Amino acid sequence: MRPQEYSANGTPVSAVKSHRVEPTAAACEWISLEHLALGSERVGGMVVRSAQVRKVLKTISRLSPYKATVLINGESGTGKELVARALHTLGPVPGGPFVTFNCSNLVESLAESQLLGHVRGAFTDAREDSLGYFRSANGGTLFLDEIGELPLRLQPKLLRAVETHEIQPVGSSHNYKVDIRLVAATNRDLRAMVKEGTFRDDLYYRLHAAAILVPPLRDRREAIPAFVAHFIEHYNRLFGKDIKLVSRDAVEALCVHPWAGNVRELGHAIESAVLMTESDRIALEDLPMHVSEGTSETLDDPIEELPEGGAPLMAAIEPEAGAAGAEQKWPYSLDAVIREASKLALTRALHATNGNCRHAAELLGVSRFTVYRMVNRFGLGEGRIYRTSRDLPKFSALVGEISSRTGRDISYPSR
């Protein structure tokens, strides 16, 4: 279902067209928050729309009933703490405490005391007993973020606590039982750290028994409109605003931005836009400059390697020769055909326009932002920066191979 579009004065475009009055060239299309969020759901504080996150949610649902230790992997800003909270909320003790601590904030000299607690007089300035994070989380969940920053000398004590569910506070001879679920998270490669000797292998294998990988935002771009609606609603409440619409070109700019800082960076960008707008809508110029002007029209960086010979382009469209009727497994779906046809059309358009995305967009009848998204989606350029190339021999070879396979000349004359 196509999101409701609005003209610059807030009138639905469908209503304008029904009166045979076309919007003026200066008028933007506006999309409501409800339609931005279309097809998404919110589970445990998570915005769920992409297939990757639905897979994460399925893993959470399988692990949440048990108090098993879980390791969450993902880049900074992807929402690892939200996954940990969902494990807690959907777990057997949702009413128990959820204690979170970032291991990068551990004070080296006090690290053991911070985690395991201490008794009065255990060291200078220890004027009273301290529970520590483990006992504070008793009966609930302890979330240790950035576990890769945990000092090597403290890792054996953490391993013992995880395996025996017992901790010994600093300065005490008594062991205390703790009933917790430990959830750890990291944006570092723990396997590489094990090889380097900066992370214990026994602790790594203990943590990695149940693992969840949170995908970066660039791999779930279809969820960006839903995130935009979510953050606008949040900042509407926070700042007392009533923003209802977002311009289509602003949404397209948000969808093609690299988002190296993932969901956290997107949230900050929307916060800035909410503060900058003086009306009930967000336009392209309200976005931070690095988002609204972050992509050039003509992109000249070297192209990444295309599939050899272009065969994968047609694999989903042409059944393999010699396949028997009843025994033949259906080799393609409608979605695959549409995807490969779109890739073919984009390749031809870029070939015809010497890699100029703006001119290619004119040929295809779409916006240049759509072309940028397609370039990234089909791997026709640097995926993180969305750049393609004027390396025409590679485009020519690809188009030539498809022509020879189909027996048709599908190339465009150069502009």
Side-chain angles (χ1 to χ4, degrees):
M1 179 177 179
R2 184 186 174 103
Q4 176 65 61
E5 299 166 3
Y6 295 84
S7 63
N9 63 5
T11 305
V13 168
S14 58
V16 175
K17 290 182 177 179
S18 67
H19 289 85
R20 301 180 183 273
V21 178
E22 294 297 328
T24 64
C28 291
E29 295 176 335
W30 299 92
I31 307 176
S32 67
L33 301 188
E34 292 79 5
H35 284 79
L36 285 174
L38 203 63
S40 66
E41 56 184 312
R42 297 179 189 179
V43 181
M46 300 171 61
V47 176
V48 181
R49 188 175 191 177
S50 66
Q52 295 95 325
V53 176
R54 293 189 192 280
K55 184 177 179 181
V56 169
L57 195 62
K58 187 175 182 180
T59 304
I60 291 173
S61 67
R62 288 178 175 176
L63 295 176
S64 58
Y66 312 104
K67 288 188 177 181
T69 301
V70 178
L71 177 65
I72 305 172
N73 292 279
E75 296 179 6
S76 179
T78 51
K80 297 188 290 295
E81 184 173 342
L82 286 177
V83 173
R85 288 186 180 276
L87 282 166
H88 174 72
T89 303
L90 301 175
V93 285
F98 180 86
V99 178
T100 179
F101 183 73
N102 192 314
C103 292
S104 62
N105 293 334
L106 280 170
V107 180
E108 181 70 26
S109 59
L110 300 175
E112 187 174 351
S113 170
Q114 286 180 281
L115 281 179
L116 307 180
H118 64 258
V119 297
R120 180 179 178 183
F123 52 85
T124 306
D125 294 332
R127 297 185 176 91
E128 56 185 21
D129 291 355
S130 171
L131 289 178
Y133 285 98
F134 268 86
R135 281 199 287 168
S136 296
N138 194 37
T141 300
L142 174 60
F143 174 55
L144 295 181
D145 200 5
E146 304 303 342
I147 192 70
E149 306 298 330
L150 189 70
L152 191 60
R153 69 174 184 84
L154 200 58
Q155 292 177 21
K157 294 183 181 293
L158 176 61
L159 177 62
R160 182 179 183 278
V162 172
E163 291 187 331
T164 66
H165 294 280
E166 289 185 349
I167 58 102
Q168 185 177 29
V170 177
S172 174
S173 58
H174 183 71
N175 289 332
Y176 292 87
K177 280 285 186 181
V178 287
D179 179 22
I180 66 167
R181 156 184 264 163
L182 180 68
V183 180
T186 183
N187 60 7
R188 302 183 64 180
D189 185 348
L190 295 186
R191 187 187 296 271
M193 292 180 66
V194 169
K195 292 179 180 179
E196 295 166 359
T198 56
F199 200 86
R200 290 179 61 99
D201 56 351
D202 48 4
L203 178 58
Y204 168 73
Y205 294 125
R206 185 67 182 82
L207 294 175
H208 202 262
I212 297 175
L213 176 62
V214 184
L217 187 56
R218 61 180 174 273
D219 290 344
R220 41 180 169 137
R221 293 183 177 277
E222 63 271 34
I224 289 178
F227 276 118
V228 171
H230 168 73
F231 284 124
I232 290 176
E233 290 171 358
H234 170 73
Y235 290 116
N236 272 345
R237 292 191 296 270
L238 188 62
F239 300 133
K241 292 217 171 188
D242 188 27
I243 294 170
K244 301 174 181 177
L245 306 172
V246 185
S247 70
R248 179 169 292 278
D249 53 358
V251 174
E252 290 178 339
L254 290 164
C255 286
V256 301
H257 190 71
W259 301 120
N262 293 293
V263 180
R264 183 184 294 123
E265 183 189 358
L266 173 61
H268 292 325
I270 298 303
E271 178 183 11
S272 173
V274 169
L275 291 171
M276 291 301 295
T277 185
E278 297 179 345
S279 66
D280 65 345
R281 58 198 67 194
I282 291 176
L284 181 63
E285 57 269 20
D286 296 318
L287 298 177
M289 187 174 296
H290 72 282
V291 177
S292 61
E293 300 180 2
T295 313
S296 58
E297 291 185 352
T298 303
L299 308 166
D300 304 315
D301 280 6
I303 192 169
E304 289 182 350
E305 289 299 317
L306 293 174
E308 240 180 75
L313 271 178
M314 302 304 294
I317 301 177
E318 298 179 357
E320 294 181 6
E327 301 296 324
Q328 179 184 351
K329 183 180 179 181
W330 193 253
Y332 50 88
S333 66
L334 181 58
D335 285 344
V337 171
I338 293 172
R339 175 186 170 86
E340 299 308 325
S342 300
K343 184 174 181 180
L344 172 59
L346 175 64
T347 305
R348 291 166 57 181
L350 289 171
H351 175 261
T353 59
N354 296 342
N356 186 307
C357 287
R358 182 169 61 84
H359 293 160
E362 292 173 359
L363 285 180
L364 295 171
V366 297
S367 73
R368 58 190 171 90
F369 293 108
T370 299
V371 170
Y372 298 146
R373 288 201 302 273
M374 292 171 69
V375 164
N376 175 68
R377 179 186 179 194
F378 297 134
L380 297 178
E382 282 187 39
R384 195 171 68 82
I385 312 177
Y386 320 109
R387 295 186 172 180
T388 186
S389 163
R390 296 188 180 193
D391 189 352
L392 294 182
K394 289 187 178 179
F395 280 120
S396 299
L398 181 59
V399 173
E401 176 67 21
I402 298 171
S403 297
S404 65
R405 287 171 59 84
T406 59
R408 293 180 287 112
D409 181 10
I410 62 172
S411 62
Y412 284 139
S414 297
R415 286 172 72 107

